[in-house]
Amino acid sequence: MAEGVQRRRVETGERYDVFHTDCLARDMVDHVTSRWGVWVLISLQRNDLRFYELRESIQGISEKMLAQTLRVLVEDGLVWRKVEPTTPPQVTYGLTEFGRDVGEPLTELFDRITRRLSALGTA
Amino acid sequence: MAEGVQRRRVETGERYDVFHTDCLARDMVDHVTSRWGVWVLISLQRNDLRFYELRESIQGISEKMLAQTLRVLVEDGLVWRKVEPTTPPQVTYGLTEFGRDVGEPLTELFDRITRRLSALGTA
DNA sequence: GTAAGGGCATACCTGAAGGTAAGCTCATGA
DNA sequence: TCATGAGCTTACCTTCAGGTATGCCCTTAC
């Protein structure tokens, strides 16, 4: 990925480096907090899952977006992918160590929100 | 907000309620993890900030999107807004208790990602 | 023989997110 | 007197995320 990016960060020495558009972490955070990335990471936090299991647990996601989201997360090193060369092939996804590290605060975030919402006594 | 939504959740009794499109928490999470919402919440986690301070620290955000993002976060009860009726008016934003509660895992998420990226020795 | 299952890839198209540019307000300072 | 600043709002336009539909591959089951 774009070399020299971090170098520029260091040179500027600003307080909020991550808020700069040319920040690697910013791209990563964008992937993690993407529309579907959030739910994939939270789902996988509980168990490794097959493609169709993910598709079924995350309501509203299309196969296209699921595949695309998974590809990005695998590229980023957050998710691993294992293919059993049976027919039909069975593909399983799970979190890498980094993925679990990142998924944890995400799950926490989600838990706090649901807790707050139920505390509000919404029917 | 849409009543009966939580009721339906309870009735279905599924494992991943939040992944349903008609889940309140899902909307909230979508706001929090929105393109700019993330950075606003992380920024405010450190200090209360003026509108222009937010605009300057979050590189690439337009005034329109900043205003819009803040409006949503205020509506959701994550951010408060204080107007000093001077001229020009001075508007300050900060996190509510709920906002701090939600911003914390978000900041943690961001920290873990930056830590990992710098551990990779990029640059 | 044909339907279904599993995990995609691909093409095409739409809607909404987000960018740009301008305006508004009112008071202060040059 | 006119520009400037702070914090927006509005109008308009563009981009691209994401939806739908389809195909593919190989095999077992009906």
Side-chain angles (χ1 to χ4, degrees):
Chain A
M1 302 187 209
E3 25 132 0
V5 166
Q6 296 276 357
R7 202 177 312 279
R8 229 171 307 150
R9 266 186 57 189
V10 171
E11 282 164 7
T12 58
E14 302 219 6
R15 254 194 321 161
Y16 298 124
D17 291 327
V18 76
F19 298 99
H20 285 231
T21 43
D22 61 358
C23 173
L24 283 181
R26 183 153 165 176
D27 290 339
M28 184 75 79
V29 172
D30 279 347
H31 295 166
V32 168
T33 63
S34 69
R35 171 116 186 254
W36 301 112
V38 179
W39 308 113
V40 168
L41 289 171
I42 292 179
S43 302
L44 292 178
Q45 190 81 2
R46 318 195 193 201
N47 310 293
D48 299 342
L49 292 172
R50 299 273 305 281
F51 186 85
Y52 80 91
E53 291 177 313
L54 280 166
R55 192 209 323 141
E56 276 160 25
S57 67
I58 305 175
Q59 202 197 35
I61 197 171
S62 64
E63 294 201 337
K64 175 188 156 187
M65 289 316 297
L66 179 54
Q68 187 174 306
T69 303
L70 285 167
R71 217 182 311 132
V72 170
L73 295 178
V74 169
E75 276 172 19
D76 285 352
L78 293 154
V79 168
W80 52 257
R81 169 191 153 99
K82 190 178 64 184
V83 184
E84 302 282 349
T86 57
T87 50
Q90 306 199 333
V91 186
T92 306
Y93 294 91
L95 295 182
T96 61
E97 194 203 327
F98 181 28
R100 259 176 281 120
D101 205 36
V102 158
E104 198 178 283
L106 217 54
T107 305
E108 179 65 21
L109 173 77
F110 155 61
D111 284 344
R112 292 189 181 193
I113 287 178
T114 45
R115 243 181 281 138
R116 165 68 56 139
L117 286 182
S118 56
L120 287 180
T122 321
Chain B
M1 305 185 211
E3 25 130 1
V5 166
Q6 297 276 356
R7 200 178 313 278
R8 231 171 305 151
R9 266 186 57 189
V10 171
E11 282 164 8
T12 59
E14 302 216 8
R15 255 194 320 160
Y16 298 124
D17 290 326
V18 76
F19 298 98
H20 284 233
T21 43
D22 61 357
C23 174
L24 283 181
R26 183 153 163 175
D27 290 339
M28 184 74 79
V29 172
D30 278 348
H31 294 167
V32 168
T33 63
S34 69
R35 172 116 187 255
W36 301 113
V38 179
W39 308 113
V40 168
L41 290 171
I42 292 180
S43 301
L44 292 179
Q45 191 80 2
R46 319 196 192 199
N47 310 294
D48 299 342
L49 291 173
R50 299 273 305 279
F51 186 85
Y52 79 91
E53 292 177 311
L54 280 166
R55 194 210 321 142
E56 276 160 27
S57 66
I58 305 175
Q59 202 198 33
I61 197 171
S62 65
E63 295 200 338
K64 174 188 156 187
M65 288 316 297
L66 179 54
Q68 188 173 306
T69 303
L70 284 167
R71 218 181 311 132
V72 170
L73 295 178
V74 168
E75 275 171 20
D76 284 351
L78 293 154
V79 169
W80 52 257
R81 170 189 152 101
K82 192 177 62 184
V83 184
E84 303 282 348
T86 57
T87 49
Q90 307 201 332
V91 186
T92 306
Y93 294 91
L95 296 183
T96 62
E97 193 202 328
F98 181 28
R100 259 177 281 121
D101 206 36
V102 159
E104 198 178 283
L106 217 54
T107 306
E108 180 63 20
L109 173 77
F110 155 61
D111 284 344
R112 293 189 181 193
I113 287 179
T114 46
R115 244 182 280 140
R116 165 67 55 138
L117 286 182
S118 56
L120 286 180
T122 321

